[in-house]
Amino acid sequence: MKLERRYACAPASDRIPSTMAETHSLQDLRQPAVSSKVFVQRDYGSGTISKFQTKFPSELESRLDKQQFDETIQTLNNLYAEAEKLGGKSYLEGCLACLTAYTIFLCMETHYEKVLKKISRYIKDQNEKIYAPRGLLLTDPIERGLRVVEITIYEDRSIGSGR
Amino acid sequence: MKNCEYQQIDPRALSVSPMSAQNRAEMKAQRSRRKWEVFPGKNRFFCDGRIIVARQSGVLPLTLGLIVVTCGLFFAFDCPFLVEHLTVFIPVIGGVLFLFAVISLLRTSFTDPGILPRATPEEAADIEKQIDTSGSSTYRPPPRTKEILINQQVVKLKYCFTCKMFRPPRTSHCSLCDNCVERFDHHCPWVGNCVGKRNYRFFYSFIISLSFLTSFIFGCVVTHITLRSQEGKSLIQAIQESPLVICFFSIWSILGLSGFHTYLVASNLTTNEDIKGSWSSKRCTEESGNPYSYNNIITNCCVTLCGPMPPSLIDRRGFVPLVEASPAASATEIELPPFLAKNDSNMCTRSTKDVLARMVHAFDSRGLCPPGTPKTTPVGVEVSSSPSAGCPLFSRSSRKRDSLHSSNPAFRLASPSPSLSRNTMILGEGPDVGFIPIP
């Protein structure tokens, strides 16, 4: 803390020209810095259904087991498949909606939305149990338009405070 | 502790920066900004982001007007006569069809058609890294495509220069709305919105119900005229009083359109694909067809019309995460590429500089990126009066800086100049990039 304050208490006049440099070093001291981001892309082999590639990114090799990563992605894929499943239940929901001129969507939560909530709970759970302890963070794909699973890799704090 | 500006930084806080009282007040004012206010596409939003329409509402008021006027005339002139002579159910059926058509129309117009949010700067940089460029000397990079296999068929994915990503299959970029739309069918001026994955079923139910409505009214009016002329009244007078004329002209086009879309639904095609002939046998050399079709008419219909309702991906009503304001002085350090400055208006240039300056600070001082980080990096910049228009150029510039400064120097070293120069090249295209018509 004291170290932070020493850096922090630079006079304001000195601060402005070299702001960028100073905030970088401040950043290193204070919070885990984002080292890089890995993007797991969509797998379109089966069409337009939401499915992510299970190829293990090389940047994660030092941090995570391939098996754990596979399991996470497979579970996500299964959850999305459940959301987009075509079956009696989804057709019933669709027909009911059609009959009510789609006004029913204004008051009822769709099956897809329910599964999306389940997915975000699962991701939160995975982050807490597996990813955060390894300095990683999974971002819910819905926040990236269901295009990618973004995994943020944080710099290991123990590495040091300097650049 | 007492009088250092930096003391205001809370290590636990996500958005940190030394702030003057004025900036803090500005931040409070920015606090309630929603994502629709910084949306980069050309859409307009109402009811605090609940309703989304295209920039030009097109002919939507005319469509609504025609329907209301026709039905009004029908109820006023034909119904009393027909109720007397036939049955009371005529206005009831007419009323139900009218309500159905209007509600479907409004749902089609006001629903997000399946807009894909633009790629974040990090994503765009990552894609850049993966693309193998051979260091082309021309300013405009060659059109990028990626080939993938879908159900054992080769499909080409095109790179969207505006949205900075490879378009998923069946996605197309609408130049009127400046968005990539999933399962893009067409941009309908009558409805004033794109028709895509999320609102195709509404559009289809609109044209079907409208076909029934116009046929019903046409039938009733013809019956009315026939009955009246049998009673010896003037034929001309009867015609003049009826909505026959409007119905007569619109019925053929509406019935034709319904028939066409029924064919599309049954073969799981979009208007876009049909017009381009993407899956027609003349174009494909070997025996191949539509890879998305289930080869069963009923399944195709069910999937398109009664399938699960996909969610909106753009999160209009979410809040934009706070970005701290930066001192204006540091803005001068940042030089804009000349081609951007040329194209901007003065206000735009100033706002761009502010945004760039803020982004530098935001990403330098922000550690944990909250999951809710939006694709467009936000900000306290003044957006022009139509919030949806914003300033597409400035958001592109800010994204460029984001990719430069989004992370720790260690990462910057790992991905040095080639990606920067590539980014510069792309942005150099200016505003015309997003609208390359890809054949």
Side-chain angles (χ1 to χ4, degrees):
Chain A
M1 270 318 255
K2 282 227 168 118
L3 192 62
E4 274 175 43
R5 281 211 199 117
R6 224 187 21 206
Y7 275 93
C9 278
S13 54
D14 286 348
R15 211 195 86 239
I16 292 171
S18 51
T19 312
M20 273 161 55
E22 285 194 0
T23 46
H24 268 301
S25 54
L26 200 64
Q27 175 56 39
D28 296 341
L29 292 174
R30 245 199 347 261
Q31 294 174 15
V34 176
S35 160
S36 67
K37 292 193 184 195
V38 179
F39 297 96
V40 179
Q41 300 285 342
R42 282 271 293 269
D43 174 10
Y44 295 115
S46 324
T48 49
I49 57 166
S50 297
K51 196 174 168 196
F52 292 96
Q53 290 177 356
T54 46
K55 183 167 141 301
F56 187 59
S58 50
E59 294 93 330
L60 295 178
E61 260 160 28
S62 55
R63 305 261 191 145
L64 192 64
D65 280 338
K66 183 177 188 314
Q67 194 236 346
Q68 274 167 333
F69 173 81
D70 262 347
E71 199 188 303
T72 309
I73 301 289
Q74 280 294 0
T75 314
L76 280 178
N77 286 342
N78 292 338
L79 285 169
Y80 281 115
E82 188 196 320
E84 295 173 358
K85 197 174 74 155
L86 305 161
K89 195 175 170 203
S90 71
Y91 291 152
L92 195 64
E93 193 186 54
C95 286
L96 184 69
C98 180
L99 288 172
T100 59
Y102 301 105
T103 48
I104 200 163
F105 286 147
L106 298 168
C107 22
M108 200 180 82
E109 200 182 47
T110 65
H111 174 64
Y112 208 120
E113 282 165 358
K114 288 188 190 130
V115 179
L116 282 179
K117 287 196 176 152
K118 208 163 139 187
I119 289 173
S120 80
R121 279 197 302 269
Y122 173 75
I123 288 183
K124 190 166 162 229
D125 186 57
Q126 287 282 292
N127 272 332
E128 279 167 15
K129 292 201 183 127
I130 300 177
Y131 290 83
R134 291 171 171 72
L136 300 170
L137 182 74
L138 275 181
T139 304
D140 196 337
I142 195 75
E143 285 159 22
R144 297 288 177 264
L146 287 183
R147 283 189 313 267
V148 286
V149 176
E150 185 181 299
I151 304 176
T152 315
I153 303 175
Y154 289 99
E155 195 183 59
D156 198 348
R157 263 188 195 175
S158 60
I159 285 174
S161 55
R163 259 184 288 169
Chain B
M1 180 95 194
K2 315 86 195 178
N3 42 19
C4 298
E5 277 185 80
Y6 271 93
Q7 289 312 310
Q8 293 159 15
I9 299 172
D10 179 12
R12 290 176 307 273
L14 293 175
S15 60
V16 286
S17 138
M19 284 187 271
S20 65
Q22 188 220 351
N23 285 348
R24 232 180 300 155
E26 222 179 279
M27 258 191 70
K28 283 208 179 94
Q30 296 164 21
R31 214 167 279 269
S32 55
R33 199 163 265 262
R34 293 204 190 246
K35 287 184 188 172
W36 65 263
E37 299 178 58
V38 295
F39 186 69
K42 289 184 191 162
N43 289 91
R44 284 186 297 163
F45 298 86
F46 301 103
C47 292
D48 199 20
R50 288 181 181 89
I51 291 177
I52 174 173
V53 292
R55 161 79 68 96
Q56 301 120 12
S57 59
V59 201
L60 174 64
L62 177 67
T63 312
L64 265 174
L66 276 175
I67 296 175
V68 168
V69 163
T70 310
C71 291
L73 286 174
F74 169 72
F75 287 122
F77 295 108
D78 297 293
C79 281
F81 184 87
L82 289 169
V83 163
E84 245 179 74
H85 288 74
L86 288 178
T87 165
V88 76
F89 283 114
I90 291 191
V92 171
I93 296 172
V96 165
L97 285 173
F98 168 73
L99 273 177
F100 207 88
V102 169
I103 291 175
S104 304
L105 170 64
L106 294 176
R107 282 303 308 234
T108 313
S109 301
F110 298 152
T111 305
D112 165 19
I115 295 173
L116 276 177
R118 297 191 182 180
T120 56
E122 295 92 8
E123 255 181 87
D126 188 65
I127 293 175
E128 292 289 329
K129 269 193 286 178
Q130 286 168 22
I131 292 169
D132 188 30
T133 56
S134 48
S136 154
S137 59
T138 57
Y139 205 51
R140 181 189 283 263
R144 299 164 177 179
T145 56
K146 188 162 86 169
E147 285 188 0
I148 57 168
L149 266 182
I150 296 182
N151 293 329
Q152 279 79 50
Q153 205 169 317
V154 175
V155 174
K156 260 193 190 160
L157 298 186
K158 295 193 176 94
Y159 183 79
C160 182
F161 286 96
T162 313
C163 305
K164 303 272 190 323
M165 60 179 180
F166 279 100
R167 285 189 210 128
R170 308 193 99 175
T171 302
S172 195
H173 191 97
C174 175
S175 48
L176 288 166
C177 304
D178 201 22
N179 292 315
C180 270
V181 177
E182 282 192 297
R183 204 184 182 277
F184 181 74
D185 196 84
H186 66 287
H187 182 101
C188 186
W190 294 97
V191 149
N193 201 3
C194 289
V195 177
K197 182 162 130 183
R198 294 187 78 242
N199 65 353
Y200 187 73
R201 64 190 73 193
F202 306 144
F203 176 75
Y204 187 75
S205 69
F206 165 60
I207 56 176
I208 294 289
S209 56
L210 194 63
S211 311
F212 279 117
L213 180 66
T214 45
S215 314
F216 180 74
I217 292 180
F218 190 72
C220 288
V221 163
V222 166
T223 314
H224 180 192
I225 290 172
T226 317
L227 290 175
R228 267 200 197 256
S229 57
Q230 279 175 355
E231 288 179 8
K233 300 242 173 98
S234 157
L235 188 63
I236 309 292
Q237 192 193 15
I239 290 176
Q240 277 172 346
E241 283 175 4
S242 71
L244 182 69
V245 177
I246 303 174
C247 267
F248 185 77
F249 288 113
S250 56
I251 202 172
W252 309 116
S253 39
I254 291 171
L255 281 178
L257 191 65
S258 304
F260 175 63
H261 276 279
T262 307
Y263 156 71
L264 289 181
V265 164
S267 29
N268 205 332
L269 276 174
T270 63
T271 307
N272 204 29
E273 285 164 358
D274 188 71
I275 287 178
K276 286 186 192 167
S278 310
W279 314 118
S280 74
S281 48
K282 279 180 257 180
R283 196 165 150 144
C284 305
T285 45
E286 67 259 11
E287 186 63 54
S288 58
N290 180 6
Y292 312 108
S293 169
Y294 291 83
N295 296 317
N296 178 343
I297 290 179
I298 298 186
T299 316
N300 282 339
C301 292
C302 289
V303 165
T304 314
L305 303 174
C306 303
M309 182 71 188
S312 174
L313 299 173
I314 54 175
D315 189 23
R316 305 182 291 278
R317 288 177 45 79
F319 285 102
V320 168
L322 291 172
V323 180
E324 62 285 3
S326 68
S330 54
T332 52
E333 291 174 42
I334 298 164
E335 39 166 305
L336 278 180
F339 40 77
L340 279 174
K342 247 191 294 188
N343 290 332
D344 290 344
S345 64
N346 279 341
M347 182 171 115
C348 219
T349 314
R350 274 204 302 277
S351 356
T352 313
K353 282 184 178 167
D354 285 344
V355 169
L356 294 181
R358 282 171 207 163
M359 285 331 302
V360 164
H361 286 281
F363 280 90
D364 285 345
S365 47
R366 179 184 300 188
L368 287 168
C369 231
T373 308
K375 61 277 170 190
T376 58
T377 18
V379 215
V381 180
E382 71 274 12
V383 183
S384 60
S385 54
S386 58
S388 54
C391 193
L393 278 174
F394 91 73
S395 39
R396 270 185 236 148
S397 330
S398 66
R399 261 182 243 121
K400 176 192 169 205
R401 294 302 289 196
D402 292 346
S403 63
L404 293 180
H405 294 282
S406 62
S407 50
N408 181 328
F411 174 54
R412 266 219 309 259
L413 289 171
S415 57
S417 33
S419 69
L420 298 183
S421 58
R422 260 180 253 138
N423 273 343
T424 314
M425 252 181 5
I426 291 172
L427 289 167
E429 321 272 5
D432 51 314
V433 168
F435 310 102
I436 301 169
I438 305 207

